[in-house]
Amino acid sequence: MTIDLTKTGIDPFDLIYKQMLNQLQGNILKPHGRDYSSHIILRFTAEARATKEWIQNFARAQLSSALQQVEEAKSFRETQQPGQMFVSIFLSASGYEHLGFDPGKFDEENDTFRLGMKKRRRVNTFFPNKDPRVEQWEEVYRGSIHALIMLADDSAEAVRAATESIAASVSTVAQILAIERGYVLRNSEKEPIEHFGYVDGLSNPRFLKGDLELEERQTWDPSAPLGQVLAPDPFNTAPDAFGSYFVFRKLEQNVHGFNLGIRELSARLRVDEALAGAMVVGRFRDGTPLTLEPQAGLGAVNDFNYRNDKDALKCPFHAHIRKANQRGETPLTSEESERSRRIARRGVVYGERAPGLTDEPEGGVGLLFMCYQADIGHQFEFLQRVWFDNPRFPEILSETGDCPLIGQDGDEPQRWRTKWGDEGGDEDAERLRINFGDWIRLKGGEYFFAPSVGFLQNIVADLP
Ligand code: HEM
């Protein structure tokens, strides 16, 4: 049976998908949902055979498949029985090479994965890559990165203990470059937030029937075809063996700087701080979309688009979520092409905060940004280079400015309004050019592939 990658809203308990989900790692089609995680970043040191033996034994004992994930989620709903420790393994192109597999076999359109994040930094096309220079990254990320192991569980203690034991075992074949610890930070309503205090993880492509049914979909359809995130595993000839390209970026957030910046912005625009912040993010802290309301209150709504705000009188064109997803309004582009750029975001925060988030750290905290996709060049990189870092998107002639949240072009002012909506007459006169941003910095990362389960569990074909 061959899987149709154009299918949306699949039922994971349908027998057609069983083999495919059994071969696929978890977290790709649906978030693993655990509160604590660790990310062990590795450079292989042992020769290929010994390293492959370690991977095979570990994958056979611990790897979580997508099938296991949906079965555990079902039994949790029915019996409240939590699932096992969630475990994923990712390899970079240089990791494959070290193990003796030719990365040239990956048929990504523009070789993004094969070159890796550091070499792609030098890409200087019409939309240049504006990532900071590698010398400015944390030292551990500057050299070759071969693999990443992700562990996740609802018990912080269980993650800590498993990380220690895996680190001890893997150190026989690899150098541990870094262990990044992630967790779900929550606001007083217990909703997941990022360090600036905004509810996060609201809008994501949905692949499974049950997840789609949970969302209102009158004006925005969150469904996405399997082919948005699945790519054939070139080293597994079994039918229905898929993997997914995976981007990992450590993004440091300067909370103090951001808060000061918002205060200044609100003073210059003569709007309150909540509205100034929403003009940066495109949502208020509680998730209310700025295009729908001039104040918080609606909360985590995701059923909206920008059809009634084509001139950006409510939500600025530059706002993070508007740049990230125009919801059908990208100029000169079909809706289908726009939707093909979507990524499955799975980021978690890192770095401790004071209770009630009363502290304002300038560093040491941020987002372990992670996303899955079928093609890194077409999806993640396109978003970052052509939408976020490009001051001429989406207004080609009048210059929107870069994304004030994660744009990497420090000199590009955005165009801000001093009013919400169309009251007040002459709109252009109200647009001020102010340069907001630079509160988030890339500290390192890599492009990976999440190989099929079968490949990892049989990476040394002749082991028992
Ligand atoms: C520290 C860095 C970042 C922070 C604090 C941040 C914050 C947020 C917040 C608060 C939302 C709104 C909640 C939601 O819709 O889930 C959001 C949405 C989103 N972000 Fe980010 N983000 C960061 C980095 C990135 C990066 C690097 C990308 C991709 C290159 C990205 C892509 C998106 C997308 C696609 C959405 C959903 C937009 C939509 O469908 O409406 N974000 N982000």
Side-chain angles (χ1 to χ4, degrees):
M1 178 76 65
T2 335
I3 297 296
D4 177 357
L5 292 182
T6 66
K7 280 270 185 287
T8 59
I10 66 157
D11 177 354
F13 298 104
D14 187 331
L15 277 181
I16 303 173
Y17 298 111
K18 200 163 179 187
Q19 166 67 6
M20 185 270 275
L21 294 172
N22 203 22
Q23 281 287 330
L24 186 69
Q25 295 201 54
N27 202 30
I28 299 169
L29 296 178
K30 176 185 179 69
H32 61 63
R34 272 81 162 167
D35 272 6
Y36 298 92
S37 57
S38 79
H39 309 80
I40 310 174
I41 296 166
L42 301 171
R43 181 181 304 144
F44 299 136
T45 47
E47 46 92 24
R49 162 116 200 157
T51 313
K52 287 200 277 194
E53 280 177 9
W54 189 90
I55 294 174
Q56 176 161 305
N57 290 332
F58 178 68
R60 286 185 179 188
Q62 308 239 21
L63 198 61
S64 310
S65 72
L67 185 64
Q68 191 181 335
Q69 190 195 345
V70 293
E71 280 170 350
E72 283 183 356
K74 183 164 179 264
S75 94
F76 182 71
R77 280 193 304 274
E78 288 163 1
T79 64
Q80 300 300 300
Q81 188 66 31
Q84 289 176 6
M85 170 85 50
F86 178 84
V87 178
S88 267
I89 304 177
F90 306 87
L91 294 173
S92 70
S94 55
Y96 273 103
E97 215 160 11
H98 181 95
L99 298 174
F101 297 96
D102 173 14
K105 290 252 160 57
F106 287 91
D107 67 348
E108 240 201 345
E109 212 171 277
N110 42 21
D111 275 354
T112 319
F113 166 73
R114 198 176 53 75
L115 290 171
M117 196 180 285
K118 287 182 207 74
K119 286 196 181 134
R120 289 291 294 175
R121 213 199 64 74
R122 296 189 215 123
V123 167
N124 201 354
T125 59
F126 196 56
F127 299 106
N129 184 323
K130 294 178 180 167
D131 285 357
R133 290 200 325 272
V134 174
E135 301 81 73
Q136 294 171 339
W137 295 12
E138 282 176 14
E139 202 172 339
V140 290
Y141 287 100
R142 291 184 207 153
S144 243
I145 296 171
H146 290 157
L148 189 159
I149 296 176
M150 181 200 292
L151 310 175
D153 198 89
D154 276 331
S155 150
E157 179 47 33
V159 172
R160 198 195 52 74
T163 305
E164 257 177 35
S165 113
I166 292 166
S169 153
V170 77
S171 62
T172 54
V173 295
Q175 177 189 356
I176 295 166
L177 297 171
I179 298 179
E180 303 289 0
R181 293 176 194 277
Y183 66 101
V184 180
L185 182 66
R186 295 184 193 274
N187 60 17
S188 54
E189 308 295 312
K190 301 277 172 256
E191 296 155 317
I193 54 171
E194 49 69 49
H195 279 290
F196 296 151
Y198 292 79
V199 174
D200 203 359
L202 300 177
S203 175
N204 249 328
R206 307 284 178 210
F207 304 96
L208 306 184
K209 188 164 159 249
D211 293 341
L212 261 180
E213 284 167 357
L214 295 175
E215 292 214 23
E216 291 284 331
R217 13 189 332 212
Q218 306 290 322
T219 52
W220 169 247
D221 174 10
S223 71
L226 293 173
Q228 191 93 25
V229 282
L230 300 193
D233 183 335
F235 301 109
N236 188 342
T237 50
D240 305 337
F242 294 99
S244 185
Y245 292 95
F246 180 74
V247 173
F248 179 87
R249 273 158 97 82
K250 183 174 185 184
L251 298 171
E252 186 177 60
Q253 294 177 251
N254 177 346
V255 179
H256 182 63
F258 180 85
N259 289 348
L260 273 184
I262 292 289
R263 266 168 238 152
E264 263 175 49
L265 186 65
S266 98
R268 287 189 66 185
L269 298 178
R270 299 206 193 125
V271 300
D272 65 31
E273 286 176 24
L275 182 55
M279 286 179 174
V280 169
V281 176
R283 289 183 185 266
F284 287 88
R285 286 182 163 209
D286 72 346
T288 302
L290 180 57
T291 193
L292 297 184
E293 292 289 339
Q295 72 258 316
L298 278 185
V301 170
N302 197 35
D303 189 20
F304 68 95
N305 59 38
Y306 300 100
R307 221 157 286 156
N308 295 324
D309 189 16
K310 284 188 193 282
D311 296 324
L313 301 184
K314 297 170 183 166
C315 178
F317 285 124
H318 63 240
H320 178 62
I321 66 158
R322 190 159 183 171
K323 282 232 183 205
N325 184 0
Q326 292 272 313
R327 299 184 181 228
E329 303 294 327
T330 303
L332 313 173
T333 308
S334 70
E335 189 159 342
E336 193 191 350
S337 152
E338 180 202 287
R339 289 172 70 85
S340 73
R341 308 284 177 188
R342 288 176 300 156
I343 51 178
R345 288 178 302 135
R346 300 287 185 259
V348 288
V349 310
Y350 72 90
E352 289 309 314
R353 294 295 298 276
L357 306 183
T358 47
D359 56 341
E360 294 198 7
E362 288 180 55
V365 303
L367 186 74
L368 301 175
F369 174 85
M370 293 175 266
C371 69
Y372 294 93
Q373 57 254 283
D375 182 328
I376 296 174
H378 184 82
Q379 293 165 268
F380 163 74
E381 267 204 5
F382 193 91
L383 259 67
Q384 186 70 53
R385 283 192 297 122
V386 185
W387 290 353
F388 289 132
D389 286 344
N390 172 13
R392 290 181 182 271
F393 179 79
E395 296 167 291
I396 293 149
L397 300 176
S398 50
E399 296 221 6
T400 307
D402 69 342
C403 169
L405 194 67
I406 57 152
Q408 302 184 115
D409 195 330
D411 302 328
E412 286 296 339
Q414 300 87 16
R415 299 198 315 143
W416 304 82
R417 296 195 74 228
T418 54
K419 292 192 171 61
W420 183 89
D422 56 7
E423 76 271 20
D426 182 1
E427 297 102 36
D428 276 338
E430 299 159 13
R431 293 206 198 245
L432 297 180
R433 293 189 73 79
I434 300 172
N435 181 5
F436 184 93
D438 233 8
W439 309 119
I440 295 178
R441 276 288 159 90
L442 174 67
K443 304 306 270 183
E446 188 49 288
Y447 297 152
F448 296 96
F449 190 70
S452 63
V453 172
F455 167 76
L456 292 165
Q457 290 185 338
N458 300 292
I459 191 166
V460 184
D462 53 352
L463 274 188

